[in-house]
Amino acid sequence: MMEENMITQCPNCSKVLPPKKVYFCGGCMTQIRCKVCDDVLEVDDVGCTNCGTLRETKNSTISPGIVNANTFRLHETNSDRTIEATFSDSVGKDLAGILRDFSINNRSKTINATGFNIQQIDSNKSMYEENLKMIDADFSEQETAKINVEKEVKTEEMQSPQYLSLLAIAMKKLPASETEWIVVYSFFASNYGKDLFSKDDLLEKYKESNRLDDSKKSYLSRNITAAVKGGYLNPLATGYSILEDGVTKAKEIISRTSSSPVKKTSAKKSSTETGAGDETSTKKSSRGKKTLKRLNNIDFEPEGKESLKDYFSKYTTVSDSERTLLFINYMQNILEISPITFDHIFTCYDLLNLRVSENLQQTVRNSANTKGWFETTGGVMTLTIKGKNQIRDWNKN
């Protein structure tokens, strides 16, 4: 009985105990007596050394200064041991690190926080690892899902190219002909060259650009045929595909910074004119033709460079389209002339004593539309990528 009266302070937190016999400290809820035999418990003992009863643990009363307390509870099924601790927010943030220490060291550590301790006990490593996985999953599941969604959105945005809308392209009048419009529509209808498309898909693009009318519907097939002949589209059994040259051409049209020059619209069009229904194409007529002249200020036998005659003799040509392609390539890349006009083309024909078309301008325009080797925008000739590839293939042979 004397021993009972001698316990005046809590051996854990030094709080003064009441004069009556108590089993727990009111300050830290540490068990100080065995509830079976009333024997005094040492602060480091797991249980009573007299009867073997395990020490009980209770939720600690929050000490002054601790706010936003968080309770941690760990239950071991093998031995039915229970550990409970109350943490402040600042201590609770380190909970994951503490659990990792449990797993790595295979032992629990004493945790000192605002006046209370969690005693060291032997631990089951596999159980702590399982608990750690569960806690990590609780903390990171929602955050991981959010990050994955953000990554998917960013990846999709990076893979989706940004182009002007069809309405914006129409407002700027970037395509110079209806054939070029068909190429642009095909580019969008094919998902930028990835999918097949149909005539109905093209009509939808006409509507999207606010350009659909009865004339466009009537001449749709002919304009598609012109794009096919130009090497931009490929007709298949179940629809159309846009070729690499078509994709390149569409991107070039969309990237233009200003409106393309509009050709005069003819009231009547010849049935043999390419791209029927094209509101910007000119009529095939001798009326209003420009008189071409030979340019005598150009040296076609330059020193240190190949002459036109020698260059032209290396190739076997069978059409005006092929001859015009060679003339443009020679003047653009060997003589480095810019701009190249119809007068330049006429001069090459005349210099080599070749037969010249009665309407050379229209012949060159038709070649540009059907072959796609060069362009004649504003009466100025420039090679296209397809034309450059044709020259390369010619040189290989």
Side-chain angles (χ1 to χ4, degrees):
M1 296 297 294
M2 285 293 296
E3 183 179 3
E4 293 176 3
N5 295 329
M6 290 176 62
I7 306 175
T8 59
Q9 289 184 324
C10 172
N12 181 52
C13 67
S14 300
K15 178 179 175 62
V16 176
L17 300 176
K20 64 179 181 180
K21 180 171 67 176
V22 294
Y23 294 94
F24 295 90
C25 170
C28 63
M29 294 305 294
T30 299
Q31 186 177 359
I32 57 179
R33 291 181 182 278
C34 176
K35 295 180 68 175
V36 176
C37 66
D38 287 342
D39 198 11
V40 177
L41 302 178
E42 297 294 333
V43 68
D44 294 330
D45 289 345
V46 176
C48 179
T49 57
N50 182 40
C51 67
T53 302
L54 291 176
R55 182 192 295 270
E56 294 183 19
T57 58
K58 301 292 183 180
N59 287 338
S60 300
T61 301
I62 306 305
S63 299
I66 297 181
V67 295
N68 296 332
N70 305 279
T71 300
F72 165 69
R73 177 184 177 87
L74 177 65
H75 178 67
E76 294 183 297
T77 58
N78 290 341
S79 62
D80 287 332
R81 291 176 182 173
T82 300
I83 298 175
E84 287 190 4
T86 301
F87 297 89
S88 66
D89 281 349
S90 60
V91 177
K93 291 179 181 178
D94 296 328
L95 180 59
I98 295 171
L99 292 176
R100 289 189 179 90
D101 289 340
F102 276 51
S103 175
I104 294 172
N105 298 331
N106 198 27
R107 241 185 203 295
S108 65
K109 295 183 177 182
T110 300
I111 304 173
N112 296 315
T114 62
F116 64 88
N117 296 328
I118 298 178
Q119 304 297 328
Q120 284 189 327
I121 59 172
D122 292 334
S123 61
N124 184 309
K125 184 175 181 179
S126 62
M127 179 169 293
Y128 284 124
E129 290 176 345
E130 191 65 30
N131 288 337
L132 182 59
K133 291 179 182 179
M134 293 175 63
I135 292 174
D136 285 342
D138 290 339
F139 276 104
S140 64
E141 182 177 356
Q142 292 184 353
E143 189 64 25
T144 301
K146 179 181 178 181
I147 292 173
N148 289 338
V149 170
E150 291 177 351
K151 285 183 177 179
E152 290 177 1
V153 171
K154 289 181 179 179
T155 301
E156 186 174 328
E157 289 177 351
M158 291 175 63
Q159 292 177 347
S160 299
Q162 300 297 320
Y163 296 108
L164 289 173
S165 67
L166 285 174
L167 185 57
I169 294 172
M171 293 174 66
K172 293 185 177 183
K173 296 183 180 180
L174 299 183
S177 66
E178 203 62 32
T179 300
E180 288 193 351
W181 268 114
I182 291 294
V183 174
V184 172
Y185 290 145
S186 301
F187 181 62
F188 280 85
S190 65
N191 189 21
Y192 315 121
K194 300 176 184 177
D195 306 324
L196 294 179
F197 59 93
S198 64
K199 290 183 179 179
D200 289 338
D201 294 328
L202 294 181
L203 290 175
E204 286 300 317
K205 298 306 174 184
Y206 268 102
K207 293 179 181 178
E208 194 173 325
S209 61
N210 199 26
R211 296 184 65 251
L212 184 62
D213 54 33
D214 292 338
S215 176
K216 303 297 191 306
K217 290 182 180 179
S218 300
Y219 290 108
L220 178 62
S221 295
R222 291 187 184 182
N223 291 326
I224 291 175
T225 300
V228 171
K229 289 182 178 179
Y232 301 125
L233 305 183
N234 180 34
L236 299 171
T238 57
Y240 297 89
S241 66
I242 186 169
L243 300 175
E244 183 178 352
D245 285 344
V247 171
T248 302
K249 181 66 174 177
K251 291 180 179 179
E252 183 274 319
I253 295 170
I254 297 171
S255 65
R256 294 173 184 170
T257 57
S258 59
S259 301
S260 302
V262 179
K263 303 173 186 178
K264 292 182 180 179
T265 305
S266 123
K268 296 182 180 179
K269 294 183 173 62
S270 169
S271 60
T272 59
E273 183 181 356
T274 303
D278 187 342
E279 71 275 10
T280 62
S281 63
T282 59
K283 62 183 177 180
K284 186 176 181 182
S285 169
S286 60
R287 184 175 56 187
K289 288 191 303 181
K290 175 186 175 183
T291 301
L292 299 177
K293 62 181 179 180
R294 177 167 173 169
L295 304 175
N296 296 318
N297 60 340
I298 300 176
D299 184 5
F300 286 97
E301 295 182 357
E303 184 177 353
K305 296 182 180 180
E306 192 174 20
S307 68
L308 174 62
K309 184 177 180 180
D310 291 339
Y311 172 80
F312 187 77
S313 64
K314 295 190 304 184
Y315 301 91
T316 301
T317 60
V318 296
S319 67
D320 287 337
S321 296
E322 293 176 346
R323 287 185 276 273
T324 301
L325 172 63
L326 292 177
F327 294 154
I328 295 174
N329 184 62
Y330 177 79
M331 289 186 285
Q332 179 175 313
N333 296 311
I334 296 180
L335 297 186
E336 298 180 352
I337 295 175
S338 179
I340 299 172
T341 67
F342 290 112
D343 286 335
H344 288 84
I345 304 299
F346 173 77
T347 301
C348 291
Y349 273 98
D350 194 53
L351 182 66
L352 297 179
N353 199 26
L354 297 174
R355 180 183 176 277
V356 184
S357 170
E358 294 181 6
N359 191 345
L360 181 61
Q361 297 100 313
Q362 190 60 47
T363 299
V364 172
R365 291 191 186 99
N366 289 343
S367 296
N369 287 332
T370 57
K371 296 297 185 182
W373 292 337
F374 45 86
E375 295 179 344
T376 60
T377 304
V380 175
M381 263 56 68
T382 54
L383 284 182
T384 63
I385 294 177
K386 186 176 182 182
K388 293 178 181 179
N389 290 334
Q390 177 67 20
I391 295 293
R392 292 190 188 100
D393 294 340
W394 229 338
N395 289 331
K396 290 178 183 179
N397 297 330

